[in-house]
Amino acid sequence: MDCSLAARLLKGVRAATLSGQRPQILPRPVIGESWNRMLRSGVDPDRDVRSGLLSVEEIEERRQSSVLLEVLPVLREALVTVADAAQHIMVVSDAEGRVLWREGNAAVLHKADRLGFELGADWAEETVGTNGVGTPLVTRRPVQVFSAEHFVVSQHTWTCTGAPITDPRDGQLIGVVDVSGPLETMHPATLSLVGTVAQLAEARLREHHAAALDRLRAVAAPVLARIGGRAVAVDVQGWTAAVTGMQPVDRIALPKSLSELSELSDGRAWVPTLGMCAVAPLPGGWLLRPDGPDGAAAEPLGGTRVVLDVSRPRRWSVTVTDGTRSWTHELSPRHAELLYLLALHRPGGRSASGLAQDMFGDPTRTVTVRAEMSRVRRYLGSLLGHRPYRFHEEAELEVVLPQSPADLLPHSVAPGVLRSRSAPAH
């Protein structure tokens, strides 16, 4: 591949697109969509705007509190030597796009400094435009950005390839691993390499989680053996380690108040799918003892309000308020899509085949839909009906949308979401 020729062609594509003309060669969809986001948000394509760097203390604090620290050895082992030899650097950012680690070729590190691609820098899309850190944070998939595919002109001498890393314990995006360097060092295989390494990091987190659950199970087992009635031991994300006297489930949605035991009244809390529970801390988790008999904790529906917030580009949530009780659950990309599509079909609801059509463009993929809806019902419980799937008609539902339909769930390629994204603003 002639990198110089490709860079010149891309400059022409970018210039035509930004001037409102239709280029002879269209940008790749992931790049074109990112450029459109930048134009709507007002990022200046001809001006290098940088936000303030984090201090050394702030960087270290973020490093020590980040789940990424658990997988940094995996990223280093797989990428640093390769990056150094290929005149690249490895960069790891947190979920806000802040650069927390940089390693690799010394000469390239100096060039990155001149670009502002340095420790503590903000490389979110809304700050510096289309790039290999900020764009994967939005799209939730690996992205390679070459030369003039970068929205901001000062980055056109650069190529970068980034992949998001998600914590499998709670589905939350925790950061991006990126391999970057001068444009002439670009190689198409880098995209596959970085994506595979991100998957290896997530696999390591799953291993750590399984080991942590085993440790919690060993602590909880003798405690549960002495308890009469219903009880369950869960980790801090609600994953079940051990259970007695009740039907086991993989995971229980926990209210935020459990994060600080001091907020609980008399060591008690209301848990969405269990009702009122006595709560006691365990090493690495919680012991929950529901008040009522099994199956008695269905949520009351009258006066219940559900707020589905899909207004942000990277984080989405559902908040349920019932009288004085309120809890919020952050959504994975898939569950944000599913609940938004269900909201579109209120009050009638949507069949499994209809949701499969909306999600995948294939009405036969009902097994996947039913599995995901089963997971959603673990935290929304009776607020979701089935046959067809729907929000319960007695619950008040509000959907918080982005200002522009084009910014709706930017990671999504679901046909139902794409139709909403292309609809005119009201």
Side-chain angles (χ1 to χ4, degrees):
M1 176 182 178
D2 188 331
C3 291
S4 298
L5 175 59
R8 288 196 298 273
L9 289 173
L10 284 170
K11 287 181 186 294
V13 171
R14 175 181 173 276
T17 302
L18 298 189
S19 64
Q21 301 173 9
R22 181 178 176 85
Q24 291 183 336
I25 302 173
L26 293 176
R28 293 184 294 132
V30 68
I31 299 300
E33 291 167 4
S34 177
W35 287 355
N36 288 333
R37 287 194 295 272
M38 300 307 93
L39 290 169
R40 289 194 300 272
S41 64
V43 174
D44 190 336
D46 299 315
R47 184 164 171 246
D48 185 350
V49 177
R50 304 174 188 177
S51 67
L53 296 177
L54 297 176
S55 68
V56 173
E57 293 76 18
E58 289 172 318
I59 293 170
E60 187 59 26
E61 182 178 346
R62 291 197 183 206
R63 285 175 171 178
Q64 294 303 318
S65 62
S66 175
V67 179
L68 290 165
L69 195 60
E70 298 182 40
V71 296
L72 192 60
V74 174
L75 303 179
R76 283 175 169 151
E77 182 178 350
L79 291 177
V80 171
T81 301
V82 174
D84 190 10
Q87 298 184 62
H88 280 69
I89 58 174
M90 181 194 77
V91 174
V92 182
S93 84
D94 63 15
E96 295 179 0
R98 289 286 186 170
V99 176
L100 298 186
W101 289 276
R102 289 189 332 165
E103 299 179 28
N105 186 277
V108 179
L109 286 169
H110 288 304
K111 292 180 180 179
D113 288 340
R114 293 197 291 272
L115 281 174
F117 203 25
E118 51 192 318
L119 286 176
D122 180 359
W123 275 73
E125 253 197 357
E126 58 267 27
T127 303
V128 295
T130 308
N131 72 88
V133 171
T135 302
L137 285 174
V138 174
T139 63
R140 296 292 185 110
R141 57 184 183 272
V143 178
Q144 187 166 61
V145 184
F146 172 71
S147 186
E149 288 184 324
H150 289 90
F151 188 75
V152 177
V153 68
S154 62
Q155 301 162 29
H156 288 186
T157 59
W158 208 247
T159 180
C160 51
T161 305
I165 301 175
T166 300
D167 189 339
R169 292 170 285 200
D170 57 10
Q172 295 304 305
L173 183 66
I174 55 176
V176 164
V177 59
D178 168 273
V179 169
S180 293
L183 69 87
E184 60 271 13
T185 64
M186 193 279 289
H187 195 289
T190 307
L191 183 64
S192 176
L193 172 64
V194 175
T196 299
V197 172
Q199 292 175 350
L200 286 174
E202 293 174 352
R204 180 62 55 87
L205 289 175
R206 279 190 288 272
E207 293 172 4
H208 289 180
H209 185 214
L213 279 179
D214 285 342
R215 291 192 296 270
L216 177 57
R217 190 174 295 116
V219 171
V223 176
L224 293 180
R226 297 192 298 269
I227 289 177
R230 303 166 66 211
V232 57
V234 297
D235 71 5
V236 293
Q237 285 92 19
W239 290 97
T240 299
V243 63
T244 185
M246 56 190 288
Q247 187 69 28
V249 294
D250 290 339
R251 192 180 184 192
I252 294 172
L254 300 179
K256 287 186 175 181
S257 60
L258 285 192
S259 63
E260 296 185 24
L261 190 61
S262 60
E263 293 184 9
L264 303 179
S265 175
D266 301 323
R268 299 173 60 78
W270 183 77
V271 178
T273 55
L274 298 178
M276 288 302 300
C277 295
V279 180
L282 292 171
W286 301 97
L287 176 67
L288 308 177
R289 301 180 63 182
D291 286 354
D294 198 3
E299 293 181 49
L301 294 174
T304 299
R305 187 166 184 265
V306 181
V307 178
L308 174 63
D309 187 345
V310 291
S311 63
R312 294 169 290 181
R314 296 196 294 271
R315 302 187 78 170
W316 317 279
S317 64
V318 60
T319 299
V320 178
T321 303
D322 171 34
T324 60
R325 300 179 302 204
S326 181
W327 57 273
T328 298
H329 183 81
E330 291 198 7
L331 299 170
S332 69
R334 178 59 55 80
H335 288 185
E337 292 170 324
L338 277 172
L339 291 178
Y340 171 73
L341 292 169
L342 276 186
L344 287 182
H345 292 280
R346 195 170 191 226
R350 198 74 164 135
S351 66
S353 62
L355 275 177
Q357 178 66 44
D358 293 341
M359 286 290 298
F360 310 110
D362 181 356
T364 67
R365 293 189 61 178
T366 55
V367 172
T368 302
V369 166
R370 290 192 178 102
E372 291 296 340
M373 289 304 300
S374 176
R375 296 183 181 102
V376 173
R377 285 172 61 85
R378 289 173 191 163
Y379 52 86
L380 285 182
S382 58
L383 290 169
L384 284 183
H386 61 289
R387 296 182 183 176
Y389 292 113
R390 65 198 184 279
F391 282 99
H392 201 286
E393 54 272 12
E394 290 185 24
E396 177 189 354
L397 174 65
E398 177 187 355
V399 181
V400 183
L401 298 168
Q403 288 187 333
S404 170
D407 292 327
L408 173 68
L409 299 174
H411 69 280
S412 179
V413 294
V417 175
L418 295 180
R419 286 193 294 272
S420 293
R421 202 184 289 157
S422 61
H426 297 292

